[in-house]
Every structure is written in structure tokens, then in C-alpha cells.
């Protein structure tokens, strides 16, 4: 009996997803404190000193910092969560059995995470636009991304395909 060959593409993608997860975490660790200091400086008439560090935010409205900080606080954990789910899916592929019931749930959770991140982005922009003091002279433009919502729908469809494929495979195993 021969051993099933390992999926080298899935192994490479697992490494890529892991590296992406660590990069997202690094952006959060570096970006969140920097943006927080920038927001503080922006609210302090463009300059602030914190523990010997001088922060300058001349010409940058507090709204821009609120948007960036709010989105970074949502996007970084969201990306890490999505990468974890993708790693788990890829590990089942590396093992040679991706049609497990857990992968359907993982695809659904990825779709929900992407949709939630986009909704938070839109709500953040709406809040900043509604507060003239935060928005500054040029309020941020509100937009939505059709391709993102199509991708979310595709993830939900793939989730159902995985769920049905798993069910059919389990039924076939029971058939003599």
C-alpha cells in the first residue's frame, strides 16, 4: 500500500498564510500605539510630548486618526482570525482530507469576518462624517466594494458545497 502524497502547494500556502498572519500582528503592534500617539497629538493642537517623545500631527485631522486607529483595531484581529481559519483548512488539505465538516464552518466564519470588517469600516466612516469636528475640512468619502460582497457570497456558497460534499461522502461510506 502506498502512502498518499502530501500536497506541496497546500504546504507552501500554509507557510504564506502563517507569514501573513505574523505580518498583520506586527502592523498591529507597531501601528496601534503610533496612531494612538498621533491622535493624542492631533487633539492637542498638533503637538504633544509623551514621556520624552514629541509627537507632531500638524495638518492631520483627528478624524483621520480615528478612522485609521479604528480600522486597524478591527482589521488586524480580523486578518489574524482569517489566517488561522485558512491555516486550519490548509492543514486538512495537506493531510489529504479537506472535506471535513469543520471546514464548512471555517469558510462561513471567514465570510462573516470579512463582512464584519467591511461593516465596521463603513460605520467608522459614517461616524466620522457625522461629527464635523473630527472630519476636518475634507470628510472621508463613503464607498462600498462590490467585489468584496461577491467574495463573501462566494465563501458562503463554498461553505454549503463543503457541507453537502461532506454529507455525501459520509453517506457513501455507509453504503455497502
Amino acid at each position: 500500500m502506498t502512502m498518499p502524497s502530501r500536497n506541496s502547494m497546500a504546504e507552501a500556502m500554509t507557510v504564506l498564510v502563517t507569514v501573513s498572519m505574523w505580518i498583520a500582528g506586527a502592523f498591529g503592534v507597531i501601528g496601534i500605539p503610533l496612531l494612538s500617539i498621533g491622535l493624542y497629538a492631533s487633539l492637542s493642537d498638533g503637538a504633544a510630548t509623551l514621556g520624552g517623545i514629541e509627537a507632531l500631527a500638524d495638518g492631520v485631522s483627528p478624524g483621520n486618526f480615528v478612522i485609521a486607529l479604528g480600522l486597524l483595531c478591527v482589521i488586524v484581529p480580523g486578518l489574524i482570525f482569517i489566517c488561522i481559519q485558512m491555516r486550519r483548512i490548509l492543514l486538512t488539505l495537506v493531510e489529504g482530507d479537506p472535506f471535513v465538516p469543520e471546514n464548512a464552518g471555517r469558510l462561513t466564519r471567514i465570510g462573516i469576518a470579512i463582512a464584519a470588517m467591511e461593516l465596521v469600516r463603513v460605520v467608522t466612516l459614517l461616524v466620522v462624517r457625522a461629527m464635523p469636528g473630527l472630519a476636518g475640512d475634507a470628510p472621508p468619502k463613503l464607498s462600498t466594494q462590490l467585489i468584496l460582497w461577491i467574495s463573501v457570497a462566494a465563501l458562503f456558497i463554498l461553505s454549503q458545497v463543503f457541507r453537502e460534499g461532506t454529507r455525501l461522502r459520509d453517506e457513501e461510506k455507509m453504503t455497502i
Side-chain angles (χ1 to χ4, degrees):
M1 185 169 161
T2 61
M3 293 282 295
S5 63
R6 294 180 62 89
N7 189 328
S8 60
M9 178 61 87
E11 289 174 343
M13 292 300 295
T14 302
V15 170
L16 182 64
V17 167
T18 303
V19 169
S20 299
M21 181 177 65
W22 283 102
I23 290 171
F27 271 107
V29 167
I30 294 167
I32 291 173
L34 287 177
L35 287 171
S36 298
I37 292 168
L39 176 60
Y40 178 71
S42 179
L43 291 171
S44 302
D45 295 327
T49 304
L50 297 168
I53 299 172
E54 187 175 340
L56 300 174
D58 287 336
V60 181
S61 72
N64 288 336
F65 282 110
V66 169
I67 291 169
L69 187 59
L71 293 179
L72 197 60
C73 287
V74 172
I75 289 174
V76 167
L79 286 176
I80 291 171
F81 176 78
I82 290 168
C83 286
I84 289 169
Q85 298 303 309
M86 289 191 323
R87 279 189 80 236
R88 290 177 179 165
I89 292 170
L90 286 166
L91 290 174
T92 63
L93 185 58
V94 168
E95 292 169 0
D97 189 17
F99 289 100
V100 294
E102 294 83 10
N103 282 348
R106 291 175 182 139
L107 287 169
T108 300
R109 287 189 292 275
I110 290 170
I112 291 170
I114 292 170
M117 288 174 9
E118 177 65 6
L119 289 173
V120 167
R121 184 188 72 80
V122 169
V123 167
T124 302
L125 291 175
L126 287 172
V127 167
V128 170
R129 287 178 62 90
M131 303 176 91
L134 279 179
D137 294 334
K141 293 181 181 175
L142 185 61
S143 65
T144 187
Q145 299 162 1
L146 181 62
I147 193 71
L148 181 135
W149 292 108
I150 292 171
S151 299
V152 168
L155 284 166
F156 288 136
I157 291 167
L158 286 172
S159 170
Q160 292 304 309
V161 168
F162 263 75
R163 194 168 276 116
E164 185 65 14
T166 302
R167 186 189 66 76
L168 290 172
R169 190 186 67 179
D170 289 345
E171 279 183 11
E172 181 186 346
K173 285 181 180 178
M174 298 290 211
T175 306
I176 298 177

